[in-house]
Amino acid sequence: MSIANALKIGFASVVLMSSSMVSAEVIKVAVASNFTHPIKEIAKNFEQDTQNKVELSFGSSGKFYAQIANGAPYEVFLSADQAKPKRLADEGMAIADTQFTYAEGQLVLWSKDPQKVDPLGKVLDEDSFNRLALANPKLAPYGLAALQTLETLELVDKTRTKWVKGVNIAQTYQYVDTLNADIGFVALSQITENHKITQGSAWIVPDEFYLPIKQDAIIVKGAERNATAQAFLDYLRSNSAQKIIQSYGYKIE
């Protein structure tokens, strides 16, 4: 190969790389904290496949609702419930026809102690625990599910003095993980990897004890023409993404 041809090929490569970098998009995604582990994997794969960049922010769905309602610059919102995306759409802050359920969460009573939580959750009716962690039912869907579970079991009054409330499910998990509470209601996804509970002891709460935790995604107002935002939601529905979601203990519709 001549030097001239080599230079031409090198120049062409630089141009292609430059155009690829220019065309790459960055989208900001607000994610309910229970979905931290699977979305990190999904976003990484999406970036590799599309060369686009995903900036993830984690927190409570209630916090993100308030931020988006006040104009926070997110393109996509992955909520821990259906109500907050719908409210944003009703208020003209999100695009109604982009809303869909990307996962259904499962509630679990968990302890780091391998012997603490029995397979039927009878520990809740005993005096063998010091603190019971749950997310704030007014702010977090998993906290509401925890309250509904205690109501179903008629254990609200018996356990109330032992409650430690987290502002979201991530803080609730931390209470149990750091032993500030010896048992707590957390998301199954927080203690599951490859379809297996990774540590401690747990009782997966039966579905009939609480209302379904259907988690919805939506595109935020201002991003309705953002092709990358739509591509990301499409990717979230792909078979590869759904396998990841299921591997963390979520159900798929």
Side-chain angles (χ1 to χ4, degrees), residues 6 21 33 55 60 70 90 126 144 177 193 200 208 219 234:
M21 291 174 65
S33 54
E55 292 185 2
S60 71
N70 284 285
D90 290 345
E126 300 171 353
L144 179 59
D177 188 53
E193 190 172 350
E208 61 267 24
I219 290 179
D234 291 341

Side-chain angles (χ1 to χ4, degrees), residues 77-253:
F77 177 33
L78 304 186
S79 182
D81 65 1
Q82 294 181 306
K84 293 176 184 66
K86 185 177 185 304
R87 281 179 64 188
L88 287 171
D90 290 345
E91 294 165 358
M93 299 303 296
I95 312 307
D97 61 6
T98 65
Q99 182 174 350
F100 73 96
T101 300
Y102 64 90
E104 182 177 333
Q106 294 192 77
L107 185 70
V108 62
L109 182 68
W110 176 62
S111 173
K112 285 192 75 173
D113 183 341
Q115 307 299 322
K116 192 69 176 177
V117 178
D118 60 280
L120 298 177
K122 293 181 179 179
V123 63
L124 286 168
D125 199 21
E126 300 171 353
D127 293 322
S128 60
F129 63 94
N130 60 357
R131 298 285 178 89
L132 170 62
L134 66 158
N136 189 329
K138 295 180 180 179
L139 300 175
Y142 283 85
L144 179 59
L147 177 60
Q148 291 168 345
T149 296
L150 292 171
E151 289 172 344
T152 299
L153 295 171
E154 299 182 347
L155 291 174
V156 171
D157 292 336
K158 183 172 183 176
T159 61
R160 190 187 298 275
T161 59
K162 296 184 179 183
W163 292 1
V164 180
K165 292 182 184 178
V167 294
N168 55 38
I169 201 67
Q171 187 178 66
T172 306
Y173 171 86
Q174 287 298 321
Y175 283 147
V176 185
D177 188 53
T178 58
L179 303 180
N180 285 300
D182 50 356
I183 63 173
F185 286 106
V186 300
L188 180 59
S189 61
Q190 293 174 299
I191 61 169
T192 299
E193 190 172 350
N194 294 324
H195 303 280
K196 294 181 180 179
I197 293 175
T198 55
Q199 61 174 319
S201 53
W203 169 53
I204 299 177
V205 181
D207 293 346
E208 61 267 24
F209 284 22
Y210 57 92
L211 294 175
I213 308 173
K214 293 190 176 183
Q215 305 192 189
D216 277 18
I218 198 166
I219 290 179
V220 178
K221 181 182 178 182
E224 56 265 38
R225 296 183 180 178
N226 187 317
T228 304
Q230 185 59 61
F232 184 70
L233 288 194
D234 291 341
Y235 197 87
L236 196 59
R237 293 167 127 158
S238 69
N239 288 336
S240 60
Q242 292 198 348
K243 286 180 181 179
I244 292 172
I245 293 170
Q246 290 176 309
S247 74
Y248 283 95
Y250 291 95
K251 297 178 182 179
I252 299 295
E253 288 192 335

